[in-house]
């Protein structure tokens, strides 16, 4: 049967066989004195892949990117670009372009000179440089501002200059270090969309660091979730969203974040149940089949989007939640509820009449049940 | 007095003590000097007994070859030391702007000369320059070279060297501060854009440091015009007039030649020169501010 999903699979398989990984990190380690901040990062990025490194502050994502760029030294391990080790090379000899969080424009040069700096250093012919600057400036919508200094540009325009400067270099690899985090929310959304469009037209390896999981989900071919100097999980956005490898990834991706409840696994006849303070949910048979003999104590994870308001749901597929806080955010309201001693967040259409303190019944979508080992926090 | 005028006056009342002290300590002597420069004035006379001579003191000075010589020595001295100190100070700052072990000790050592009293510096260098027992000539002779007549034939060069030794650290710490406040990421961007160490200095670091460097140079220049103690102790302006800078000549005119009016007029010439540099400095900073304000306004207007 012809589906786009199949086409996608075939294409992906094909490309995986043909192309060599463009960038490979091999047991990359970073130490500052006695403190180790990266603990052996192994990562392969395919040709033309848009890889997003995402994680909370201090997880090592920016350090990893800066090591690839050559701005931080490598304590141990190696970085390969096109199978060539590069960790001993200067940044300028690695053939990459980078967009910085604070844009890093040269304040004393106008937009045109900012964009053309790398080309001028390469002593390219003036006509070629001018043509390139005009072309790139047009791509990012800066043509009218070529003779402005960065000080006379708004945040969004500066961001575009940084982008244009990276594009003008014709590098094979683009690095982005939280490029949108200095912009206000509206502009960030707009620039994110523009980046997405640019992504369609520019077929290069891109590595993008962000702490914003929405940027990560919307832009990435491959998401790499990092935490505490380790890679927690990597893969396609939907893969990570649907099958998080551990509790951290499950809680990090998705907004509002996943709810976690302490539960015990109990068999009752053929059926396996996850029971806790005030609930007893049937574990779907597909999931139960993969569990095997596991200890009883688990963490139950359910995303707010997998909880649907349904007063008529059966006991073993539903949670009874007492509303404690309601946040109106337009069409939807986000409800903070109590489920026994735990707190659970759900989303609800705003027109549903509810009162604080009321107990409501929410049906759990069977595929929305995630179980994690309570000790190792690994997905079961 | 109603409360509104009282409120308006309040800030001036708070300012009054400072204004009065400034007037007594600064404006009064200055006015006295300007007044005195128009009179034929011997130290034995009180100023009321002196005779008004108009611009005579200024005109005599203008055509006085000794004063002109003194002025040209001052100009040569000031510009030479400032240029040399800028080059060495900024160069050192560029070299030492990095994190290596013991750097803070090194930096402290570098700025020590600045902290020594000028008279001590003068004495120290006079002994080091001494033709027979001085460090320099003894070292030269032990290497088998001829001794150099430092404070004789090369007096101006010798005082220039001493001043460079003492005041390069001033440029160094200001240049270092300027360097360390440069946007780190812009330098990183330059490294990725392919700039070598030299290219980073020429295209990024120096242009971005320029506002600080210009003000620093002007400050040093103003200071170099007023230098007195080191030269007084080392050479007393000699041999001949070869190191007699204007400040020294003023002091000698007043004490040895006992011509207070001429000394005052000379001071005024120096004052006018310094005022010119000071105004240049103000104009430069105002220009910078105006430019920054204009850019900010431009952004705001566009929303």
């Amino acid at each position: 049967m012809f589906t786009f999903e199949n086409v996608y699979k075939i294409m992906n398989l094909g490309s995986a066989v043909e192309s060599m990984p463009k960038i490979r990190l091999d047991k990359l380690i970073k130490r500052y004195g006695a403190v180790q901040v990266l603990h052996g990062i192994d990562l392969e990025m395919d040709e033309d892949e848009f890889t997003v490194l995402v994680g909370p502050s201090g997880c090592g994502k920016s350090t990893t990117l800066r090591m690839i760029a050559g701005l931080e030294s490598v304590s141990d391990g190696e970085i390969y670009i096109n199978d060539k080790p590069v960790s001993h090379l200067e940044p300028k000899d690695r053939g990459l372009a980078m967009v910085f969080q604070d844009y890093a424009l040269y304040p004393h040069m106008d937009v045109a000179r900012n964009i053309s700096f790398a080309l001028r250093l390469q002593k390219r012919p003036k006509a070629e440089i001018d043509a390139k600057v005009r072309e790139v400036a047009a791509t990012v919508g800066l043509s009218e501002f070529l003779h402005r200094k960065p000080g006379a540009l708004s945040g969004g325009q500066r961001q575009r200059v940084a982008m244009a400067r990276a594009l003008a270099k014709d590098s094979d690899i683009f690095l982005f270090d939280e490029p949108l985090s200095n912009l206000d929310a509206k502009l960030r959304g707009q620039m994110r969309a523009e980046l997405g469009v640019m992504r369609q037209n520019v077929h290069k390896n891109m590595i993008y660091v962000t702490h914003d999981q929405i940027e990560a989900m919307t832009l990435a071919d491959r998401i790499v979730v990092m935490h505490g100097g380790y890679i927690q999980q990597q893969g396609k956005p939907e893969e990570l969203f649907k099958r998080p490898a551990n509790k951290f990834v499950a809680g990090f991706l998705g907004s509002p974040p996943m709810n976690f409840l302490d539960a015990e696994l109990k068999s009752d006849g053929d059926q396996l149940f996850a029971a806790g303070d005030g609930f007893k949910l049937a574990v779907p048979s597909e999931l139960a089949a993969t569990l095997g003999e596991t200890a009883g104590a688990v963490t139950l994870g359910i995303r707010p989007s997998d909880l649907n308001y349904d007063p008529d749901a059966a006991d073993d597929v539903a949670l009874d939640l007492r509303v404690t806080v309601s946040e109106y955010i337009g069409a939807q309201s986000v409800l903070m509820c109590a489920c026994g001693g735990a707190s659970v967040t759900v989303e609800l259409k705003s027109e549903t009449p509810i009162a604080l303190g009321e107990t409501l019944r929410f049906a759990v979508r069977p595929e929305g049940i995630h179980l994690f080992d309570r000790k190792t926090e690994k997905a079961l | 007095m109603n409360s509104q005028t009282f409120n308006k006056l309040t800030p001036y009342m708070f300012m009054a003590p400072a204004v009065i002290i400034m007037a007594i300590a600064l404006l009064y002597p200055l006015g006295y000097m300007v007044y005195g420069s128009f009179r034929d004035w011997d130290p034995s006379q009180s100023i009321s007994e002196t005779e008004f001579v108009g611009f005579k003191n200024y005109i005599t000075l203008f055509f006085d070859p000794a004063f002109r010589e003194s002025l040209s020595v001052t100009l040569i001295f000031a510009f030479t030391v400032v240029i040399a100190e800028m080059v060495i100070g900024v160069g050192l700052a560029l070299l030492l702007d990095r994190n290596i072990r013991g750097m803070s000790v090194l930096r402290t050592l570098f700025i020590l000369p600045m902290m020594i009293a000028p008279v001590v510096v003068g004495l120290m260098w006079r002994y080091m320059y001494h033709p027979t027992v001085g460090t320099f000539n003894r070292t030269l002779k032990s290497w088998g070279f001829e001794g150099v007549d430092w404070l004789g034939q090369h007096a101006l060069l010798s005082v220039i060297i001493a001043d460079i030794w003492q005041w390069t650290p001033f440029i160094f710490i200001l240049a270092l501060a300027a360097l360390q406040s440069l946007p780190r990421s812009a330098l990183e961007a330059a490294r990725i854009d392919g700039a070598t160490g030299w290219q980073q200095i020429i295209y990024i670091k120096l242009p971005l440091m320029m506002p600080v460097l210009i003000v620093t140079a002007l400050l040093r220049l103003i200071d170099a015009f007023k230098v007195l103690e080191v030269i007084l102790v080392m050479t007393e302006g000699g041999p001949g007039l070869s190191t007699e800078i204007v400040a020294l000549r003023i002091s000698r005119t007043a004490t040895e030649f006992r011509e207070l009016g001429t000394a005052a007029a000379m001071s005024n010439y120096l004052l006018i020169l310094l005022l010119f540099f000071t105004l240049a400095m103000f104009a430069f900073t105002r220009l910078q501010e105006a430019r920054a304000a204009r850019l900010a306004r431009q952004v705001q207007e566009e929303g």
Side-chain angles (χ1 to χ4, degrees):
Chain A
M1 198 178 76
F2 179 86
T3 64
F4 280 105
E5 207 172 330
N6 283 342
V7 173
Y8 187 52
K9 268 183 197 156
I10 293 162
M11 281 169 57
N12 232 22
L13 196 69
S15 67
V17 171
E18 278 167 20
S19 72
M20 301 296 287
K22 284 282 275 192
I23 304 171
R24 185 156 63 86
L25 310 183
D26 185 27
K27 298 189 187 59
L28 208 56
I29 285 173
K30 180 68 188 177
R31 286 183 215 97
Y32 292 106
V35 186
Q36 188 161 344
V37 294
L38 285 183
H39 308 271
I41 299 294
D42 285 309
L43 194 57
E44 284 191 11
M45 291 161 237
D46 287 338
E47 204 168 353
D48 294 353
E49 200 173 35
F50 197 113
T51 309
V52 176
L53 306 180
V54 65
S57 302
C59 70
K61 55 190 191 302
S62 276
T63 308
T64 308
L65 188 81
R66 291 170 58 80
M67 284 163 89
I68 297 171
L71 298 172
E72 297 278 349
S73 62
V74 172
S75 304
D76 217 331
E78 186 53 72
I79 300 164
Y80 298 91
I81 296 180
N82 285 332
D83 284 325
K84 276 201 260 348
V86 297
S87 67
H88 59 284
L89 293 179
E90 279 288 300
K92 64 188 173 71
D93 301 320
R94 299 188 185 195
L96 34 80
M98 183 159 170
V99 178
F100 291 80
Q101 178 174 358
D102 61 356
Y103 321 132
L105 302 180
Y106 310 125
H108 56 299
M109 300 182 195
D110 63 17
V111 170
R113 292 174 66 79
N114 259 287
I115 296 175
S116 63
F117 186 62
L119 303 176
R120 283 184 286 130
L121 289 178
Q122 291 166 16
K123 302 250 182 333
R124 301 264 192 95
K126 192 171 182 307
E128 186 196 325
I129 293 177
D130 289 346
K132 187 80 199 175
V133 167
R134 272 198 301 276
E135 179 201 324
V136 172
T139 325
V140 296
L142 278 174
S143 301
E144 307 156 47
F145 303 105
L146 281 179
H147 299 293
R148 289 264 188 99
K149 294 250 176 89
L153 296 174
S154 67
Q157 290 165 339
R158 286 180 209 180
Q159 174 60 56
R160 282 164 212 266
V161 179
M163 222 66 106
R165 189 174 62 181
L167 284 172
K169 271 190 78 185
D170 276 333
S171 305
D172 293 330
I173 300 166
F174 281 81
L175 307 178
F176 298 88
D177 189 4
E178 309 214 18
L180 305 185
S181 56
N182 280 13
L183 300 174
D184 61 58
K186 192 179 165 201
L187 206 51
R188 197 181 313 151
Q190 188 191 334
M191 291 300 288
R192 192 171 64 216
E194 286 182 23
L195 257 176
V197 173
M198 187 191 92
R199 165 84 196 102
Q200 308 291 319
N201 304 323
V202 183
H203 296 286
K204 306 271 172 144
N205 252 57
M206 304 201 187
I207 308 177
Y208 188 105
V209 161
T210 179
H211 60 264
D212 182 318
Q213 48 109 1
I214 296 176
E215 273 170 41
M217 298 293 269
T218 50
L219 292 170
D221 294 328
R222 177 206 297 269
I223 290 190
V224 180
V225 179
M226 296 182 68
H227 180 49
Y230 293 95
I231 291 180
Q232 300 291 324
Q233 189 179 4
Q234 53 169 307
K236 292 201 194 71
E238 61 269 33
E239 227 171 78
L240 267 65
F241 188 75
K242 285 184 181 152
R243 285 184 295 282
N246 57 38
K247 194 179 154 193
F248 177 81
V249 176
F252 190 78
L253 297 179
S255 170
M258 187 183 271
N259 299 299
F260 295 109
L261 298 162
D262 285 346
E264 303 285 328
L265 288 182
K266 285 178 190 154
S267 288
D268 193 349
D270 291 348
Q271 183 60 47
L272 189 65
F273 290 96
D277 192 1
F279 64 91
K280 187 177 177 190
L281 290 176
V283 177
S285 48
E286 306 91 75
L287 181 57
T290 62
L291 286 177
E293 281 305 306
T294 343
V298 294
T299 301
L300 172 68
I302 305 168
R303 292 191 189 281
S305 54
D306 289 326
L307 286 164
N308 296 315
Y309 176 55
D310 184 359
D312 308 322
D315 279 349
D316 62 350
V317 293
L319 295 178
D320 288 318
L321 304 174
R322 190 169 49 81
V323 182
T324 52
V325 178
S326 167
E327 285 179 336
Y328 176 80
I329 51 169
Q332 296 265 319
S333 288
V334 174
L335 307 181
M336 262 51 113
C337 308
C339 174
S343 157
V344 172
T345 307
V346 294
E347 288 172 313
L348 193 62
K349 282 223 159 47
S350 289
E351 56 262 33
T352 319
I354 53 124
L356 290 185
E358 197 178 354
T359 299
L360 305 172
R361 173 158 283 203
F362 283 83
V364 182
R365 286 175 54 203
E367 60 273 33
I369 291 183
H370 301 267
L371 296 173
F372 303 95
D373 188 298
R374 207 178 295 168
K375 276 213 193 72
T376 65
E377 302 200 336
K378 289 222 163 69
L380 297 173
Chain B
M1 198 191 306
N2 65 33
S3 70
Q4 208 177 354
T5 35
F6 186 76
N7 278 345
K8 270 188 195 160
L9 284 177
T10 312
Y12 298 101
M13 280 159 59
F14 282 124
M15 277 162 63
V19 170
I20 290 167
I21 291 172
M22 286 278 281
I24 293 172
L26 209 71
L27 294 180
Y28 176 71
L30 202 68
Y32 205 85
M33 181 181 83
V34 174
Y35 181 72
S37 70
F38 293 110
R39 309 187 80 86
D40 190 6
W41 183 11
D42 184 276
S44 60
Q45 298 165 296
S46 83
I47 198 158
S48 52
E49 296 166 355
T50 58
E51 186 192 343
F52 178 78
V53 292
F55 279 95
K56 180 171 158 274
N57 289 334
Y58 289 95
I59 293 163
T60 325
L61 276 177
F62 191 79
F63 294 106
D64 177 7
F67 175 68
R68 285 175 158 195
E69 173 68 24
S70 185
L71 201 62
S72 85
V73 168
T74 308
L75 286 170
I76 292 169
F77 174 82
F79 281 98
T80 314
V81 298
V82 170
I83 289 168
E85 284 164 15
M86 289 300 290
V87 172
I88 302 172
V90 174
L92 276 178
L94 288 168
L95 279 174
L96 294 184
D97 176 33
R98 61 192 66 194
N99 293 316
I100 56 173
R101 195 185 293 266
M103 186 51 79
S104 54
V105 178
L106 216 56
R107 282 179 195 152
T108 316
L109 282 178
F110 270 115
I111 61 172
L112 272 181
M114 210 173 73
M115 303 180 183
I116 304 172
V119 175
V120 180
V121 172
L123 280 173
M124 209 172 76
W125 280 87
R126 200 169 91 184
Y127 289 130
M128 290 201 292
Y129 280 139
H130 193 279
T132 49
V133 299
T135 319
F136 292 126
N137 276 2
R138 278 213 314 227
T139 312
L140 282 176
K141 279 172 187 159
S142 73
W143 288 345
F145 292 105
E146 285 284 300
V148 176
D149 185 11
W150 292 105
L151 293 177
Q153 272 181 308
H154 306 286
L156 188 57
L157 179 69
S158 300
V159 295
I160 285 173
I161 291 174
D163 191 88
I164 292 172
W165 177 84
Q166 189 180 17
W167 288 109
T168 297
F170 175 74
I171 314 257
F172 166 69
I173 49 170
L174 287 182
L176 193 64
L179 259 178
Q180 291 183 337
S181 65
L182 292 188
R184 287 284 130 182
S185 59
L187 290 170
E188 288 177 345
R191 283 173 70 192
I192 286 179
D193 273 350
T196 60
W198 276 111
Q199 286 171 327
Q200 285 175 50
I201 290 173
I202 291 164
Y203 295 121
I204 312 287
K205 289 182 182 173
L206 286 181
L208 289 181
M209 287 163 75
M210 208 39 92
V212 176
L213 294 187
I214 288 175
V215 173
T216 310
L218 283 171
L219 272 177
R220 257 317 283 146
L221 203 59
I222 291 169
D223 223 35
F225 274 106
K226 296 188 300 188
V227 69
L228 175 70
E229 300 99 317
V230 177
I231 296 180
L232 184 69
V233 171
M234 279 173 69
T235 66
E236 290 178 65
L241 294 179
S242 64
T243 58
E244 193 179 74
I245 42 131
V246 172
L248 195 59
R249 186 163 186 85
I250 292 171
S251 129
R252 289 177 67 185
T253 310
T255 55
E256 285 175 37
F257 312 149
R258 302 171 68 81
E259 290 169 8
L260 290 187
T262 318
M266 231 183 273
S267 299
N268 277 340
Y269 270 128
L270 191 60
L271 184 72
I272 290 165
L273 199 65
L274 292 182
L275 215 56
F276 172 75
F277 285 117
T278 313
L279 286 177
M281 193 169 79
F282 272 126
F284 176 76
T285 44
R286 287 295 286 274
L287 213 67
Q288 291 260 318
E289 279 163 19
R291 188 183 298 157
R294 198 180 61 231
L295 291 181
R297 217 169 34 242
Q298 209 170 356
V299 177
Q300 247 173 12
E301 275 165 13
E302 283 162 14

